[in-house]
Amino acid sequence: MTAPDPGRGIGTGFTGITGAEGSPGGSFRILHVSTGNVCRSPITERLTRHALADRLGDPLWGGLVVESAGTWGHEGAPMESNAETVLADFGADPSGFVGRELLDDHVIRADLVLTATRDHRAQVISMGHSAGLRTFTLKEFTRLVRAIDPATLPPLDDGVIERARALVRAAAALRGWLLAPTAEADEVFDPYGAPLPFFRSIGDEIHEALDPVVTALTGVPARA
């Protein structure tokens, strides 16, 4: 097993370059973005990791690296205690999390950026680095993924990384054709400072949005 990646994800050896500037050919980086990187994006990061480990049964997740950052990130801060409780509800591991402020390098290295809101998406895209075609809100990406025929994606025999890259390309191609029913449909609202029941409702939203994404990435449905 390789050592943990400095970006808090776990990946395979770095070889080659992908379409995302500087992203290593041996990995596919998923970056979750919210505001403070202490509530929504930590929950999404750790639920994604948990789901990938559950589907793939591989601590390296086939080369997928999952991390997060905040547009006004509390650098070095722990996640909110209510966020930790939400993760524990799902059996996900909240330990060792450290908040980060979103930097150019995070966007440059990411193959897929999933944001909590449209404002976050706009901020990521405004940073440049050809991020527009690989940056979506989480719920937007879920909606697009649901419309993609899994049979059009590379088989798992070709590797999870190739499948993930094809999924992002297909979602980007659909974006102009499959619009949100309302402006709020693509938003995950901020639970910062809210009581635990609201955190849990946000956790449920995130979990529900992630399920079809992880299924499409891995080709493996959630366990019954």
Side-chain angles (χ1 to χ4, degrees), residues 17-51:
I17 299 295
T18 72
E21 303 169 41
S23 181
S27 65
F28 181 95
R29 288 182 176 270
I30 302 171
L31 175 66
H32 294 295
V33 175
S34 62
T35 303
N37 195 213
V38 292
C39 297
R40 288 168 291 181
S41 50
I43 290 173
T44 315
E45 173 195 314
R46 295 306 175 93
L47 286 182
T48 303
R49 291 190 189 187
H50 180 68

Side-chain angles (χ1 to χ4, degrees), residues 145-169:
V145 163
R146 288 184 186 276
I148 296 169
D149 182 354
T152 64
L153 300 173
L156 287 179
D157 288 347
D158 291 351
V160 177
I161 293 172
E162 289 307 310
R163 187 180 177 91
R165 290 173 181 161
L167 184 66
V168 173
R169 289 193 298 269

Side-chain angles (χ1 to χ4, degrees), residues 13 29 31 54 79 88 90 95 97 118 120 134-136 151 173 177 179 185 205 209 214 223:
R29 288 182 176 270
L31 175 66
D54 182 63
M79 74 174 78
F90 287 102
S95 65
F97 181 84
R118 292 167 297 154
H120 297 134
R134 50 195 165 89
T135 302
F136 309 80
W177 299 92
L179 303 179
E205 271 187 52
V214 175
R223 299 181 187 182

Side-chain angles (χ1 to χ4, degrees), residues 96-185:
F97 181 84
V98 179
R100 304 190 304 178
E101 183 175 358
L102 182 67
L103 302 176
D104 286 302
D105 187 57
H106 301 147
V107 177
I108 290 169
R109 297 171 68 186
D111 297 278
L112 172 62
V113 184
L114 297 176
T115 70
T117 70
R118 292 167 297 154
D119 283 346
H120 297 134
R121 182 185 63 193
Q123 289 180 63
V124 172
I125 293 173
S126 73
M127 295 172 74
H129 315 301
S130 304
L133 292 177
R134 50 195 165 89
T135 302
F136 309 80
T137 76
L138 171 62
K139 288 186 174 181
E140 173 191 22
F141 194 65
T142 300
R143 185 178 69 254
L144 298 172
V145 163
R146 288 184 186 276
I148 296 169
D149 182 354
T152 64
L153 300 173
L156 287 179
D157 288 347
D158 291 351
V160 177
I161 293 172
E162 289 307 310
R163 187 180 177 91
R165 290 173 181 161
L167 184 66
V168 173
R169 289 193 298 269
L174 280 175
R175 180 154 35 195
W177 299 92
L178 192 62
L179 303 179
T182 65
E184 292 74 24

